[in-house]
Amino acid sequence: MWDYTEKVKDHFLNPRNVGEIENPDGAGEVGSLACGDALRLSFKLDENKRIKEAKFKTFGCASAIASSSALTEIIKGKTLEEAAKVTNQDIANYLGGLPEEKMHCSVMGREALEIAIANYHGQKVVKEDFEIICKCFGVTDREIIKAIREDDLKTVEQVTYYTKAGGGCEQCHPKIEALINQVRKEMAKEAPPLQQEKKKLTNIQKIKLIQETLGREIIPALKADGGDLELIDVEGNKVYVALRGKCSFCPSSEFTLKKYVETKLREFVSDDIELEEVRL
Amino acid sequence: MKTVYVDNNATTKVAPEVLEEMLPYFSELYGNPSSMHFFGGQVQKKVNEAREKVADLLGADPPEIVFTSCGTESDNAAILGTLDSYPEKRHLITTRVEHPAIGNVGTYLGRKGYRVSELSVDREGRLDVDELRESFTDETALVTIMYANNETGVIFPIEEIGEIVKAKGIPFHTDAVQTVGKIPINMKKSKVDMLSLSGHKLHAPKGIGVLYIRKGTKFSPFMIGGHQEKGRRGGTENVPYIIGLGKACELAKRHLDEENTRIKVLRDYLEAKLLEKIPNTLVNGDRNHRLPNTVSVSFEYVEGESILLLLSDLGICASSGSACTSGSLEPSHVLRAMGVPFTAAHGSIRFSLSIYNTKEEMDYIIEHLPPIIQRLRDISPFWKDYLKSQGKG
Ligand SMILES: Cc1ncc(COP(=O)(O)O)c(C=O)c1O
Ligand code: FES
């Protein structure tokens, strides 16, 4: 069973604004029967050029219907400039969140809106102008790139959750992978990561941060190999740890592990950390 | 809210008689059947009785029954245990509509360099026996073909297939997880060498299965360990569950008639009423060769998960072959293999009955499902288009 929020359930069971507007000012449709979901959106503006009425018809699962319903509620009363800024994340947030596997439902909402607004301006968003990356679901490079950027996607799996691309025969996975690499490189160039200023920490903060770092970065990997590591003490910049399980019997452990743990602690806690292994 | 449980191909209720039979073996009668002392011996006796009851339902000899941890283990053991016995043969024949417990083993073996032939099915879910005949090679180590399909209930002609496979001298396994307890099976007259079943599909608990291995069949244990199950499956026996499964098989034998009369009538009634009351509804699978308890119906232009959730809201528990419910994005591989059009594949619902279902429950579904489909069609953009195309819009 999907873990839907109360808000999703409410909008699924009692969808708002179902229907199609006669002579709409703008209308857009995305998806198809083959894809398993589709949304037809239409709207009418009032004299102040604000969206007076928005209606939808959706074929799809509960979260697709709820996302469409949410979308119409969100855009009502907005100008087209404002509506154009609505992101799929806004739709998901409005619903109190969607399961990650279902994020494509919110993306479908955003895409239909984009097409409907273009339709108002007498333009067309033509898929043919772009390269279809995923044949199974007819997803273009443009859509995938947009999702990677806007939703900060890092893996093929995430791209599938958000755009459906890659959810079928999987033949497009190498292409999606390449797109992710390309886009993330561009993103990194555009916004070089801020060198995080390592703050001066109180002793308590420091111990907590060390524990967190060990718990997140080090211990899970050790445990997977049958080992473990215990934080014994912290004195100034000296951190004392004991190795447990398999690691404690392995002569090569000391050197490699020490270097590795030290590097991680320096990265996340403080540049002057020194690691000491104790045997208890 | 009352619960109408019509998802018995997913799992079944543990019969009260089964539970009662199991309970002492969780508490006072905890001996190990392998022990020399009387305390283990009395448990051993009970395990043997359970083995006899399973054998009795299948028309098998008790030593041919190997207890496993589930249907999936039985399937894995049958395939990997056979391949291990014929290391020089690197080809496997199966179908496109198997349960993942077979299908994904095939995929895994493909990655390991085996050649895997997957037989196709037609629009009704039927196998083409000639395609099987053309698939054999000198390298073929095993043929594994399910007895009946979990999604559509379509029954394959296992004995006809068995004749063909045995004429080639190749081992033949069938996944009968959905079949045992629903239609009669008699291994004495069968050409099947190995057969998988799972407890939780016939009113025993989850986590117990059987692999039937015909006497004389080459087999290497999949679970390597102690001498239990005559060295064919290591690990101390799951005593209470084995005893529960024995009881469930005894009950299943008694209920076989009812399955094929009263339950079949209920299923046919449900199916006929849904077809009558809901336009653009179709049944998936060959209605002439089908398990008595299963019906897969597709409602065009609506999506399965939405239907299921609205049903669930009324206490009705069914399942769907739609993409959104499987956690994947594509509709069920079974419906796709059958070439069910997308208009229908996404809106498929499976009802699977058991002896615990009643006519009142069918009427409850028949009353509530048509408005649910109508409501979703009113939301669906394609329904109005369809009506328009038919000149009804
Ligand atoms: C045809 C078929 N084979 C195998 C299995 C797996 O059985 P189990 O759940 O006991 O592992 C199932 C159950 O879903 C099934 O329907
Ligand atoms: S081409 Fe993308 S999943 Fe098939």
Short mmCIF file of all heavy atoms in Angstrom, two decimals, chain B residues 337-382:
data_model
loop_
_atom_site.label_atom_id
_atom_site.label_comp_id
_atom_site.label_asym_id
_atom_site.label_seq_id
_atom_site.Cartn_x
_atom_site.Cartn_y
_atom_site.Cartn_z
N ALA B 337 2.49 -9.53 -21.85
CA ALA B 337 2.83 -10.71 -22.67
C ALA B 337 1.61 -11.16 -23.46
O ALA B 337 1.73 -11.66 -24.57
CB ALA B 337 3.35 -11.83 -21.78
N MET B 338 0.42 -10.97 -22.89
CA MET B 338 -0.81 -11.37 -23.56
C MET B 338 -1.23 -10.35 -24.62
O MET B 338 -2.19 -10.58 -25.35
CB MET B 338 -1.94 -11.52 -22.54
CG MET B 338 -1.78 -12.73 -21.63
SD MET B 338 -2.82 -12.65 -20.15
CE MET B 338 -4.45 -12.57 -20.86
N GLY B 339 -0.56 -9.20 -24.62
CA GLY B 339 -0.92 -8.18 -25.58
C GLY B 339 -2.23 -7.49 -25.24
O GLY B 339 -2.95 -7.00 -26.13
N VAL B 340 -2.57 -7.42 -23.96
CA VAL B 340 -3.76 -6.67 -23.56
C VAL B 340 -3.50 -5.20 -23.88
O VAL B 340 -2.47 -4.66 -23.51
CB VAL B 340 -4.03 -6.82 -22.05
CG1 VAL B 340 -5.18 -5.94 -21.59
CG2 VAL B 340 -4.31 -8.29 -21.72
N PRO B 341 -4.40 -4.54 -24.62
CA PRO B 341 -4.13 -3.15 -25.01
C PRO B 341 -4.00 -2.24 -23.78
O PRO B 341 -4.56 -2.53 -22.73
CB PRO B 341 -5.35 -2.76 -25.85
CG PRO B 341 -6.38 -3.79 -25.58
CD PRO B 341 -5.68 -5.02 -25.13
N PHE B 342 -3.24 -1.16 -23.97
CA PHE B 342 -2.99 -0.27 -22.84
C PHE B 342 -4.29 0.31 -22.27
O PHE B 342 -4.37 0.58 -21.08
CB PHE B 342 -2.06 0.87 -23.25
CG PHE B 342 -0.62 0.45 -23.25
CD1 PHE B 342 0.11 0.41 -24.43
CD2 PHE B 342 0.01 0.09 -22.07
CE1 PHE B 342 1.43 0.03 -24.44
CE2 PHE B 342 1.34 -0.29 -22.06
CZ PHE B 342 2.05 -0.33 -23.25
N THR B 343 -5.28 0.52 -23.14
CA THR B 343 -6.55 1.05 -22.65
C THR B 343 -7.09 0.19 -21.52
O THR B 343 -7.78 0.68 -20.64
CB THR B 343 -7.62 1.04 -23.75
OG1 THR B 343 -7.57 -0.21 -24.42
CG2 THR B 343 -7.44 2.16 -24.72
N ALA B 344 -6.76 -1.10 -21.57
CA ALA B 344 -7.32 -2.02 -20.59
C ALA B 344 -6.30 -2.49 -19.56
O ALA B 344 -6.64 -2.76 -18.41
CB ALA B 344 -7.90 -3.23 -21.31
N ALA B 345 -5.03 -2.58 -19.96
CA ALA B 345 -4.02 -3.17 -19.06
C ALA B 345 -3.87 -2.37 -17.77
O ALA B 345 -3.70 -2.94 -16.69
CB ALA B 345 -2.68 -3.26 -19.78
N HIS B 346 -3.96 -1.05 -17.89
CA HIS B 346 -3.78 -0.22 -16.70
C HIS B 346 -4.97 -0.31 -15.75
O HIS B 346 -4.86 0.03 -14.59
CB HIS B 346 -3.55 1.24 -17.08
CG HIS B 346 -2.20 1.49 -17.66
ND1 HIS B 346 -1.05 1.44 -16.91
CD2 HIS B 346 -1.80 1.77 -18.92
CE1 HIS B 346 0.00 1.69 -17.68
NE2 HIS B 346 -0.43 1.89 -18.91
N GLY B 347 -6.09 -0.74 -16.26
CA GLY B 347 -7.29 -0.77 -15.42
C GLY B 347 -7.71 -2.18 -15.05
O GLY B 347 -8.90 -2.46 -14.94
N SER B 348 -6.73 -3.05 -14.84
CA SER B 348 -7.09 -4.45 -14.54
C SER B 348 -7.21 -4.67 -13.04
O SER B 348 -6.44 -4.12 -12.25
CB SER B 348 -6.04 -5.39 -15.12
OG SER B 348 -4.91 -5.39 -14.29
N ILE B 349 -8.20 -5.44 -12.67
CA ILE B 349 -8.41 -5.79 -11.27
C ILE B 349 -8.56 -7.30 -11.19
O ILE B 349 -9.26 -7.91 -12.00
CB ILE B 349 -9.70 -5.14 -10.71
CG1 ILE B 349 -9.61 -3.61 -10.78
CG2 ILE B 349 -9.97 -5.60 -9.29
CD1 ILE B 349 -8.67 -2.99 -9.79
N ARG B 350 -7.88 -7.90 -10.21
CA ARG B 350 -8.00 -9.34 -10.01
C ARG B 350 -8.80 -9.60 -8.74
O ARG B 350 -8.47 -9.10 -7.68
CB ARG B 350 -6.62 -9.97 -9.88
CG ARG B 350 -6.70 -11.47 -9.57
CD ARG B 350 -5.35 -12.05 -9.21
NE ARG B 350 -4.88 -11.62 -7.91
CZ ARG B 350 -3.66 -11.86 -7.44
NH1 ARG B 350 -2.78 -12.49 -8.18
NH2 ARG B 350 -3.31 -11.43 -6.24
N PHE B 351 -9.85 -10.40 -8.90
CA PHE B 351 -10.56 -10.91 -7.73
C PHE B 351 -10.21 -12.38 -7.60
O PHE B 351 -10.31 -13.14 -8.57
CB PHE B 351 -12.08 -10.77 -7.91
CG PHE B 351 -12.54 -9.34 -8.03
CD1 PHE B 351 -12.83 -8.79 -9.27
CD2 PHE B 351 -12.64 -8.54 -6.90
CE1 PHE B 351 -13.25 -7.47 -9.38
CE2 PHE B 351 -13.06 -7.22 -7.00
CZ PHE B 351 -13.36 -6.68 -8.25
N SER B 352 -9.80 -12.79 -6.42
CA SER B 352 -9.49 -14.22 -6.21
C SER B 352 -10.17 -14.67 -4.92
O SER B 352 -9.94 -14.11 -3.85
CB SER B 352 -7.98 -14.45 -6.19
OG SER B 352 -7.32 -13.51 -5.38
N LEU B 353 -11.02 -15.68 -5.07
CA LEU B 353 -11.91 -16.09 -3.98
C LEU B 353 -11.32 -17.26 -3.19
O LEU B 353 -10.35 -17.89 -3.62
CB LEU B 353 -13.27 -16.50 -4.56
CG LEU B 353 -14.24 -15.40 -4.96
CD1 LEU B 353 -13.63 -14.39 -5.89
CD2 LEU B 353 -15.50 -15.99 -5.59
N SER B 354 -11.94 -17.53 -2.07
CA SER B 354 -11.60 -18.73 -1.30
C SER B 354 -12.89 -19.30 -0.73
O SER B 354 -13.97 -18.69 -0.88
CB SER B 354 -10.63 -18.43 -0.17
OG SER B 354 -11.34 -17.95 0.96
N ILE B 355 -12.78 -20.44 -0.07
CA ILE B 355 -13.98 -21.07 0.48
C ILE B 355 -14.62 -20.22 1.58
O ILE B 355 -15.72 -20.51 2.00
CB ILE B 355 -13.70 -22.47 1.06
CG1 ILE B 355 -12.54 -22.38 2.03
CG2 ILE B 355 -13.41 -23.48 -0.04
CD1 ILE B 355 -12.61 -23.45 3.09
N TYR B 356 -13.92 -19.18 2.01
CA TYR B 356 -14.52 -18.34 3.05
C TYR B 356 -15.41 -17.23 2.47
O TYR B 356 -16.02 -16.48 3.21
CB TYR B 356 -13.43 -17.72 3.94
CG TYR B 356 -12.70 -18.78 4.74
CD1 TYR B 356 -11.40 -19.14 4.41
CD2 TYR B 356 -13.31 -19.43 5.81
CE1 TYR B 356 -10.72 -20.12 5.13
CE2 TYR B 356 -12.65 -20.40 6.53
CZ TYR B 356 -11.35 -20.75 6.19
OH TYR B 356 -10.70 -21.71 6.90
N ASN B 357 -15.46 -17.12 1.15
CA ASN B 357 -16.30 -16.06 0.55
C ASN B 357 -17.76 -16.50 0.40
O ASN B 357 -18.05 -17.69 0.33
CB ASN B 357 -15.74 -15.67 -0.83
CG ASN B 357 -14.47 -14.86 -0.72
OD1 ASN B 357 -13.42 -15.27 -1.21
ND2 ASN B 357 -14.53 -13.72 -0.05
N THR B 358 -18.63 -15.48 0.38
CA THR B 358 -20.08 -15.76 0.34
C THR B 358 -20.73 -15.00 -0.81
O THR B 358 -20.17 -14.05 -1.36
CB THR B 358 -20.75 -15.28 1.64
OG1 THR B 358 -20.58 -13.86 1.74
CG2 THR B 358 -20.16 -15.96 2.86
N LYS B 359 -21.95 -15.39 -1.09
CA LYS B 359 -22.74 -14.70 -2.11
C LYS B 359 -22.98 -13.24 -1.72
O LYS B 359 -22.92 -12.34 -2.56
CB LYS B 359 -24.07 -15.45 -2.28
CG LYS B 359 -25.14 -14.72 -3.07
CD LYS B 359 -25.28 -15.32 -4.45
CE LYS B 359 -26.30 -14.66 -5.36
NZ LYS B 359 -27.35 -13.84 -4.80
N GLU B 360 -23.24 -13.01 -0.42
CA GLU B 360 -23.49 -11.64 0.05
C GLU B 360 -22.29 -10.76 -0.29
O GLU B 360 -22.44 -9.60 -0.69
CB GLU B 360 -23.72 -11.60 1.57
CG GLU B 360 -25.05 -12.18 2.03
CD GLU B 360 -25.16 -13.68 1.80
OE1 GLU B 360 -24.18 -14.40 2.12
OE2 GLU B 360 -26.20 -14.14 1.28
N GLU B 361 -21.10 -11.31 -0.12
CA GLU B 361 -19.90 -10.52 -0.43
C GLU B 361 -19.83 -10.17 -1.91
O GLU B 361 -19.46 -9.06 -2.28
CB GLU B 361 -18.64 -11.28 0.01
CG GLU B 361 -18.52 -11.38 1.53
CD GLU B 361 -17.30 -12.20 1.94
OE1 GLU B 361 -16.98 -13.20 1.26
OE2 GLU B 361 -16.68 -11.85 2.95
N MET B 362 -20.19 -11.12 -2.75
CA MET B 362 -20.18 -10.84 -4.20
C MET B 362 -21.18 -9.72 -4.49
O MET B 362 -20.91 -8.81 -5.27
CB MET B 362 -20.55 -12.08 -5.01
CG MET B 362 -19.62 -13.28 -4.85
SD MET B 362 -17.88 -12.88 -5.15
CE MET B 362 -17.21 -13.11 -3.51
N ASP B 363 -22.35 -9.80 -3.85
CA ASP B 363 -23.37 -8.78 -4.09
C ASP B 363 -22.89 -7.40 -3.63
O ASP B 363 -23.20 -6.39 -4.26
CB ASP B 363 -24.67 -9.16 -3.37
CG ASP B 363 -25.41 -10.27 -4.12
OD1 ASP B 363 -25.33 -10.28 -5.37
OD2 ASP B 363 -26.04 -11.12 -3.48
N TYR B 364 -22.14 -7.40 -2.54
CA TYR B 364 -21.59 -6.14 -2.04
C TYR B 364 -20.64 -5.51 -3.09
O TYR B 364 -20.71 -4.32 -3.37
CB TYR B 364 -20.84 -6.42 -0.73
CG TYR B 364 -20.30 -5.21 -0.02
CD1 TYR B 364 -21.15 -4.33 0.65
CD2 TYR B 364 -18.92 -4.95 0.02
CE1 TYR B 364 -20.64 -3.22 1.33
CE2 TYR B 364 -18.40 -3.85 0.69
CZ TYR B 364 -19.27 -3.00 1.34
OH TYR B 364 -18.77 -1.91 2.00
N ILE B 365 -19.81 -6.36 -3.68
CA ILE B 365 -18.89 -5.86 -4.72
C ILE B 365 -19.69 -5.39 -5.95
O ILE B 365 -19.43 -4.32 -6.50
CB ILE B 365 -17.90 -6.96 -5.16
CG1 ILE B 365 -17.07 -7.44 -3.97
CG2 ILE B 365 -16.97 -6.45 -6.27
CD1 ILE B 365 -16.25 -8.68 -4.25
N ILE B 366 -20.67 -6.20 -6.33
CA ILE B 366 -21.46 -5.89 -7.53
C ILE B 366 -22.23 -4.58 -7.34
O ILE B 366 -22.43 -3.82 -8.28
CB ILE B 366 -22.42 -7.06 -7.85
CG1 ILE B 366 -21.61 -8.29 -8.28
CG2 ILE B 366 -23.43 -6.67 -8.91
CD1 ILE B 366 -22.37 -9.60 -8.19
N GLU B 367 -22.60 -4.31 -6.10
CA GLU B 367 -23.31 -3.06 -5.83
C GLU B 367 -22.36 -1.86 -5.89
O GLU B 367 -22.72 -0.81 -6.42
CB GLU B 367 -23.94 -3.15 -4.43
CG GLU B 367 -24.72 -1.90 -4.04
CD GLU B 367 -25.10 -1.89 -2.56
OE1 GLU B 367 -25.09 -2.99 -1.92
OE2 GLU B 367 -25.38 -0.80 -2.03
N HIS B 368 -21.14 -2.03 -5.37
CA HIS B 368 -20.28 -0.86 -5.19
C HIS B 368 -19.29 -0.58 -6.31
O HIS B 368 -18.83 0.54 -6.46
CB HIS B 368 -19.54 -0.97 -3.86
CG HIS B 368 -20.42 -0.69 -2.69
ND1 HIS B 368 -20.97 -1.70 -1.92
CD2 HIS B 368 -20.90 0.47 -2.19
CE1 HIS B 368 -21.73 -1.16 -0.99
NE2 HIS B 368 -21.72 0.16 -1.13
N LEU B 369 -18.95 -1.61 -7.07
CA LEU B 369 -17.92 -1.36 -8.09
C LEU B 369 -18.42 -0.49 -9.25
O LEU B 369 -17.71 0.44 -9.66
CB LEU B 369 -17.33 -2.69 -8.59
CG LEU B 369 -16.13 -2.59 -9.51
CD1 LEU B 369 -15.05 -1.67 -8.94
CD2 LEU B 369 -15.53 -3.97 -9.76
N PRO B 370 -19.63 -0.71 -9.78
CA PRO B 370 -20.04 0.12 -10.93
C PRO B 370 -19.97 1.63 -10.67
O PRO B 370 -19.41 2.37 -11.50
CB PRO B 370 -21.47 -0.36 -11.23
CG PRO B 370 -21.48 -1.77 -10.75
CD PRO B 370 -20.61 -1.78 -9.52
N PRO B 371 -20.46 2.13 -9.52
CA PRO B 371 -20.32 3.58 -9.31
C PRO B 371 -18.87 4.04 -9.19
O PRO B 371 -18.55 5.17 -9.58
CB PRO B 371 -21.07 3.84 -7.99
CG PRO B 371 -21.59 2.55 -7.50
CD PRO B 371 -21.28 1.48 -8.48
N ILE B 372 -18.01 3.17 -8.68
CA ILE B 372 -16.59 3.54 -8.58
C ILE B 372 -16.00 3.73 -9.97
O ILE B 372 -15.32 4.72 -10.26
CB ILE B 372 -15.80 2.45 -7.82
CG1 ILE B 372 -16.12 2.52 -6.32
CG2 ILE B 372 -14.30 2.60 -8.05
CD1 ILE B 372 -15.45 1.45 -5.50
N ILE B 373 -16.29 2.78 -10.86
CA ILE B 373 -15.76 2.89 -12.22
C ILE B 373 -16.34 4.13 -12.90
O ILE B 373 -15.62 4.90 -13.56
CB ILE B 373 -16.09 1.63 -13.05
CG1 ILE B 373 -15.52 0.38 -12.37
CG2 ILE B 373 -15.58 1.76 -14.48
CD1 ILE B 373 -14.03 0.36 -12.23
N GLN B 374 -17.62 4.38 -12.69
CA GLN B 374 -18.26 5.54 -13.31
C GLN B 374 -17.61 6.82 -12.83
O GLN B 374 -17.30 7.73 -13.61
CB GLN B 374 -19.77 5.55 -13.01
CG GLN B 374 -20.52 6.55 -13.87
CD GLN B 374 -20.20 6.36 -15.35
OE1 GLN B 374 -20.29 5.26 -15.89
NE2 GLN B 374 -19.78 7.45 -16.02
N ARG B 375 -17.37 6.87 -11.52
CA ARG B 375 -16.77 8.06 -10.94
C ARG B 375 -15.40 8.33 -11.53
O ARG B 375 -15.06 9.47 -11.87
CB ARG B 375 -16.69 7.79 -9.43
CG ARG B 375 -15.94 8.79 -8.64
CD ARG B 375 -16.18 8.46 -7.19
NE ARG B 375 -15.25 9.16 -6.35
CZ ARG B 375 -15.17 8.98 -5.04
NH1 ARG B 375 -15.97 8.09 -4.45
NH2 ARG B 375 -14.32 9.66 -4.33
N LEU B 376 -14.59 7.28 -11.67
CA LEU B 376 -13.25 7.47 -12.23
C LEU B 376 -13.31 7.81 -13.72
O LEU B 376 -12.50 8.58 -14.22
CB LEU B 376 -12.38 6.23 -11.99
CG LEU B 376 -12.00 6.02 -10.52
CD1 LEU B 376 -11.34 4.66 -10.33
CD2 LEU B 376 -11.07 7.13 -10.02
N ARG B 377 -14.30 7.23 -14.40
CA ARG B 377 -14.43 7.56 -15.82
C ARG B 377 -14.85 9.01 -15.99
O ARG B 377 -14.46 9.67 -16.96
CB ARG B 377 -15.43 6.61 -16.49
CG ARG B 377 -14.79 5.26 -16.78
CD ARG B 377 -15.72 4.30 -17.44
NE ARG B 377 -14.99 3.07 -17.79
CZ ARG B 377 -15.58 1.93 -18.12
NH1 ARG B 377 -16.90 1.84 -18.15
NH2 ARG B 377 -14.86 0.87 -18.40
N ASP B 378 -15.63 9.51 -15.06
CA ASP B 378 -16.03 10.91 -15.13
C ASP B 378 -14.82 11.83 -14.97
O ASP B 378 -14.82 12.96 -15.45
CB ASP B 378 -17.08 11.24 -14.07
CG ASP B 378 -18.44 10.64 -14.41
OD1 ASP B 378 -18.63 10.29 -15.60
OD2 ASP B 378 -19.28 10.49 -13.51
N ILE B 379 -13.81 11.36 -14.26
CA ILE B 379 -12.59 12.16 -14.09
C ILE B 379 -11.64 11.95 -15.26
O ILE B 379 -10.80 12.77 -15.55
CB ILE B 379 -11.87 11.78 -12.77
CG1 ILE B 379 -12.81 11.94 -11.57
CG2 ILE B 379 -10.64 12.65 -12.55
CD1 ILE B 379 -12.15 11.58 -10.24
N SER B 380 -11.74 10.81 -15.94
CA SER B 380 -10.77 10.46 -16.98
C SER B 380 -11.03 11.21 -18.29
O SER B 380 -12.15 11.24 -18.78
CB SER B 380 -10.83 8.95 -17.24
OG SER B 380 -10.14 8.63 -18.43
N PRO B 381 -9.98 11.83 -18.86
CA PRO B 381 -10.18 12.56 -20.11
C PRO B 381 -10.52 11.64 -21.28
O PRO B 381 -11.13 12.07 -22.26
CB PRO B 381 -8.82 13.24 -20.36
CG PRO B 381 -7.84 12.46 -19.56
CD PRO B 381 -8.59 11.90 -18.39
N PHE B 382 -10.12 10.37 -21.18
CA PHE B 382 -10.29 9.48 -22.33
C PHE B 382 -11.69 8.93 -22.45
O PHE B 382 -12.11 8.50 -23.51
CB PHE B 382 -9.29 8.33 -22.26
CG PHE B 382 -7.88 8.81 -22.24
CD1 PHE B 382 -7.04 8.49 -21.18
CD2 PHE B 382 -7.40 9.61 -23.26
CE1 PHE B 382 -5.74 8.95 -21.16
CE2 PHE B 382 -6.10 10.08 -23.24
CZ PHE B 382 -5.27 9.75 -22.19
#
